[in-house]
Amino acid sequence: MTKDMTKGNPVKLIVAFFIPLMLGSLFQQFYSMVDAIVVGKFVGVNALAGVGATGSLNFLIIGFTNGICSGFAIMFGQSFGAKDFSLMRRYIANAIYLAAAVAVVLTPLTVILSRPILRMMNTPDEIINDACIYIQIIFAGLSVTMMYNAGSAILRALGDSRTPLYVLFLSSALNIVLDLVFVIAFRMGVAGVGIATVIAQAVSGIVCFIYMFKKYPVLKFVKQEWYVDIGHMKRLLSVGLPMALQFSITAVGSIIMQIAVNGLGAASVAAMTAANKIHLIFSCTLETVGIAMATYCSQNMGARKYKRIRQGITSANILACGIAVFDCAILTLFGRYLALLFLDSSETAIMAEAQMYLNVTSLAYPLLAILFVLRNSIQGMGYGLLPMMAGLCELIGRIIVAFGLVGKYGFFGATLASPVAWIAADLLLVGVYYYIRQHVLVKYERAKVAGA
C-alpha cells in the first residue's frame, strides 16, 4: 500500500519505512555476497579476486543507473506529496522512456569497453580473464537492472518499501539456487554467478512492474499520460543526472583506489574483496536510512511541510549514528570470522588484511551515517547539484590516499581511503544543509505561517 509521509509522527514513519527498506537492501547485497562466497569456496582465490576487481567498475555503471532512477523518484515523490497524481503518472511514463534509452546506449558501450578499462586499472594478469567474463555478463543485463531500479524507485516514491522487500526475498533465493547449480553442477565458474545474478534481477524487475500496475489505483494511466513530454524529461534529467553523476564520481574514486590495490598483488585484492563485501552488508543499513529520507523529504517538500523536514532529518541522524556504532562493534569483534565466509582458514595473511580494513573503516561509520542522511535529504528536497559536489570531495579524498598513502603504507594506506573521503564529503554537506535549513526551510516556514 502507499504511505503518505506528510502526516503523522516523523520518527515512526521513518522507522516503519526504513526497516523493510533495510531488509530489502540486505537481501540485495546477497546477490554479490553469494557470488563471492560461491566463487571463493568452489572456484578459488584468483576467481574471487577477479570478481572483486570489478567492484569499482561495476559501481561506476550500476551506480549511475541506480542514481538516475533515484533522481527520477524525487519528482514522483514530490508530485505524490502534492497529491497531483496525474502529474506523477506523466513523470513516471517519461522516466520509463529515459531509463530505456540509457540502457540501450550503455549496454553495448560497457560490454565492449570492459576489458580495456580493466587493463587500464592495472588488473593482475592472473585474474583479468575472470574479471572480464563476470563484468561483461553483468553489463549485458543492464536493461533488467534498469527495470528493477525504476520499479523500486516508483514504489519507494509512493511510500511502499515492503513490496521491493518481498520481491527481493524471491529473487535472492533464486540467485542462491542458480549460483549453486551453475557453478557446482555445471562448473561454469565466474560466468555462472554472473548469469545467475542477471536472471534474478530480471525476475525482480518483472514482478515489481506487474504488481504495482495491478495493485495501485494511482498508477492507472490514461492514454494522454503516456505521451512523450520534453519538459517533463528535462525536469527529470535535471534531478536524475546530478544524482547519477554523483554515484559515478564516487565510483571513479573507487576505481583509482582499485588501481592502487591491484598494484599490491592478487592477495591484497582478495582481502579487499572479502572485506568490502562485508562492509557493504553493514553500510547498506546506513544507506537505507538515507534512502528513506529521500522519500520522506520529497513528499514533505511537495506538501510544503518544511518543519517536518527539519524534524525528520534530526531524527534520522540520531537513528543512523546509533546503527553505525552498533555496526562498528560487530565488525571489530567478529569481522575476522565473517571473512571465513569468503576465504579458507589457511589464508591467514589475507584474513589479517581483511580484518584491518574492517577495523579502520567501521570506526568511521558515524561519518558515513551523516553523509547518507544529509545527501539523500538534500536530494529529496530537489537539490541535485550540491550532493554531486560532495561526490567530488569524496573523489579528491580517495585520490589523495591512493597517490599519497598506499605507496608508503601499503594495504593500511588503502584502508584510510573511505574515512578520508567521508570526512571530505561531510564537511561540504553539513555546510550545505545548514544553509538550506536557514535560508529555505525556516524562511518558507515563517512565510507560510505569516500567510496563514
Side-chain angles (χ1 to χ4, degrees), residues 307-324:
K307 185 177 180 179
R308 286 179 60 84
I309 294 175
R310 294 191 291 113
Q311 293 172 336
I313 291 173
T314 299
S315 299
N317 273 317
I318 295 171
L319 171 65
C321 286
I323 295 171

Side-chain angles (χ1 to χ4, degrees), residues 59 243 246-247 250 287 290 293-294 368-381 383-384 386-388 390-391 394 422 425-426 429 433:
F59 182 43
M243 287 185 68
Q246 169 237 304
F247 275 91
T250 302
E287 185 176 13
M293 288 308 297
L368 181 61
I370 294 170
L371 187 158
F372 280 137
V373 170
L374 293 185
R375 183 171 68 192
N376 283 276
S377 296
I378 293 168
Q379 289 168 339
M381 288 183 275
Y383 299 94
L386 295 172
M388 186 183 75
E394 286 190 72
W422 299 338
D426 278 345
L429 288 170
Y433 172 63

Side-chain angles (χ1 to χ4, degrees), residues 265-288:
S268 290
V269 175
M272 182 70 79
T273 299
N276 200 46
K277 296 295 183 185
I278 298 167
H279 157 68
L280 288 174
I281 292 170
F282 282 81
S283 66
C284 81
T285 61
L286 306 176
E287 185 176 13
T288 50

Side-chain angles (χ1 to χ4, degrees), residues 129-213:
N129 285 334
D130 283 335
C132 189
I133 291 169
Y134 177 78
I135 201 63
Q136 284 182 331
I137 292 171
I138 297 298
F139 288 161
L142 273 180
S143 58
V144 298
T145 301
M146 287 290 290
M147 178 170 57
Y148 171 73
N149 286 338
S152 60
I154 294 168
L155 289 168
R156 288 197 306 268
L158 300 179
D160 182 355
S161 59
R162 292 186 180 183
T163 300
L165 170 62
Y166 301 146
V167 170
L168 282 169
F169 282 158
L170 170 66
S171 60
S172 295
L174 177 61
N175 189 56
I176 292 170
V177 171
L178 291 178
D179 269 341
L180 296 174
V181 171
F182 291 159
V183 174
I184 299 175
F186 295 164
R187 299 186 181 277
M188 295 173 64
V190 295
V193 294
I195 293 170
T197 297
V198 171
I199 292 174
Q201 287 190 333
V203 171
S204 298
I206 292 169
V207 172
C208 271
F209 270 90
I210 291 174
Y211 178 85
M212 67 188 185
F213 282 129

